[in-house]
Amino acid sequence: MQTKPTYLILENGMVFCGKSFGYEAEVMGETVFTTAMTGYMSTLTDTGYKGQLVVQTFPLIGNYGVVSHECESKGTSVCAYIVRELCQEPSNFRCEGALDVFLRENKIVGISGIDTRKLTRILRDHGSMKAKIAYELPDDIGTVTAEIKAYTAPDAVSAVTCGETTSEKPENASKKVVLWDFGASDSIKTALLARGCEVITVPAGTKSDDIAALNPDGIVLSNGPSDPMSHPDIIAEIAKITEKNIPMLGICLGHLMLAVSEGAKSVKLPHGHRGGMPSIRLSDKRVFITSQNQGYTLDEATLPENITVTYKNGNDGTVEGVAYKNIPALGVQFRPGTAGGPNATDFIYDEFIGLMK
């Protein structure tokens, strides 16, 4: 593997120097960190990271190589992958190849040798920042930081949603569920199929009348990237479909947009919830370790009376789950189950199935 000096330039002017791996290209985006200790294949294929430069806090990455079984989608969404140490000789009975090759084939820029502990502390204390990856340092760093600050990410949801409506069902399907795809992880469909549901996946821009015409028993609003408040057209369609009184489950971005359609507001988290996070179920104070990837949360002060908080984050106390009094619906900030785990909250799908009975 050939490497060359590579620079991560933050919008505040700080520069980190490392070595290149994977695909080589100059890129810009929002720099975020994930605390996940396993499942880097899930991270690299998670649509919630669309256009982002992801910092992996776990120091050694690539030691079990490429494991396609742990992928969350058919493609990749990460703009760049930043690690402390890259393992170039993976060893695992499931290994299908080296991570460096996977990144090159999927056009993901990589940097190794970065002091990820220092970088994570900066992002933790000052919040997620825009940044640029370059292979030469300019004489005038101020010109680059101005360029970085002016950068605006394109619409991420439209880039990761499916292109057409598709249907898949197991033998003896008992329920029909519409999966509203804002960047849905494959694990959502897998969980629904395993519970005897026919799954009809529809693009993000699908109209509420078209969804209702499918006569579903339930609707799942999927995970996805970006600010939920930046999709007023989708939120308007969600508000219309809630009038049909069809049972609904919102996951991550879908959860946020469902709540916003009912009158709540979302706010940006300082550095997001990415990786393994403790979530407290308020009914019995039980703590679940959950998989998360979200840069926004609901502003609890704006929740209308028809929304009840059911889960809170164990670290910062932000809202991580809600139930609705006026419609048969629930929503969670975390992933009920992911390819890389943990899967302790799979029962959320069972609760959704219960709403359809």
Side-chain angles (χ1 to χ4, degrees), residues 95-164:
C95 179
E96 301 167 17
L99 186 60
D100 173 61
V101 176
F102 177 84
L103 264 62
R104 285 203 308 271
E105 292 176 345
N106 288 276
K107 297 185 177 181
I108 299 175
V109 176
I111 309 180
S112 65
I114 291 284
D115 186 346
T116 52
R117 177 175 291 186
K118 180 179 180 180
L119 178 56
T120 298
R121 285 176 172 173
I122 292 170
L123 299 177
R124 180 196 64 188
D125 295 342
H126 301 284
S128 301
M129 294 187 193
K130 296 177 185 178
K132 180 177 182 178
I133 290 176
Y135 299 98
E136 292 183 0
L137 273 181
D139 296 329
D140 182 9
I141 199 72
T143 302
V144 179
T145 56
E147 177 189 12
I148 296 170
K149 291 177 182 178
Y151 172 79
T152 301
D155 180 17
V157 169
S158 63
V160 297
T161 187
C162 60
E164 60 183 3

Side-chain angles (χ1 to χ4, degrees), residues 42 252 275-277 289-293 333-338 341-342 345:
S42 176
C252 298
M277 290 279 167
I289 300 303
T290 64
S291 177
Q292 298 191 25
N293 177 14
Q333 185 94 11
F334 49 83
R335 309 287 177 83
T338 61
T345 55

Side-chain angles (χ1 to χ4, degrees), residues 295-322:
Y296 296 82
T297 188
L298 292 176
D299 182 352
E300 188 171 1
T302 69
L303 295 182
E305 293 183 357
N306 62 302
I307 298 181
T308 301
V309 178
T310 54
Y311 291 84
K312 285 195 172 184
N313 186 279
N315 290 332
D316 59 19
T318 53
V319 177
E320 294 214 327
V322 297

Side-chain angles (χ1 to χ4, degrees), residues 6-39:
T6 308
Y7 302 94
L8 174 71
I9 307 170
L10 300 179
E11 63 178 285
N12 67 355
M14 293 193 68
V15 178
F16 289 80
C17 181
K19 296 180 179 179
S20 65
F21 74 99
Y23 188 69
E24 290 188 7
E26 291 195 349
V27 293
M28 282 191 290
E30 181 184 28
T31 308
V32 301
F33 66 85
T34 173
T35 59
M37 297 178 67
T38 61

Side-chain angles (χ1 to χ4, degrees), residues 248-308:
M248 304 178 76
L249 168 62
I251 299 174
C252 298
L253 177 64
H255 146 66
L256 295 174
M257 291 199 292
L258 177 57
V260 170
S261 76
E262 288 291 302
K265 292 183 179 180
S266 64
V267 293
K268 186 174 176 62
L269 292 162
H271 47 70
H273 294 159
R274 299 176 177 91
M277 290 279 167
S279 187
I280 304 171
R281 184 166 61 189
L282 301 185
S283 62
D284 58 4
K285 305 302 181 183
R286 182 175 175 181
V287 178
F288 297 92
I289 300 303
T290 64
S291 177
Q292 298 191 25
N293 177 14
Q294 190 58 262
Y296 296 82
T297 188
L298 292 176
D299 182 352
E300 188 171 1
T302 69
L303 295 182
E305 293 183 357
N306 62 302
I307 298 181
T308 301

Side-chain angles (χ1 to χ4, degrees), residues 318-331:
T318 53
V319 177
E320 294 214 327
V322 297
Y324 296 80
K325 299 176 183 178
N326 61 323
I327 55 175
L330 65 152

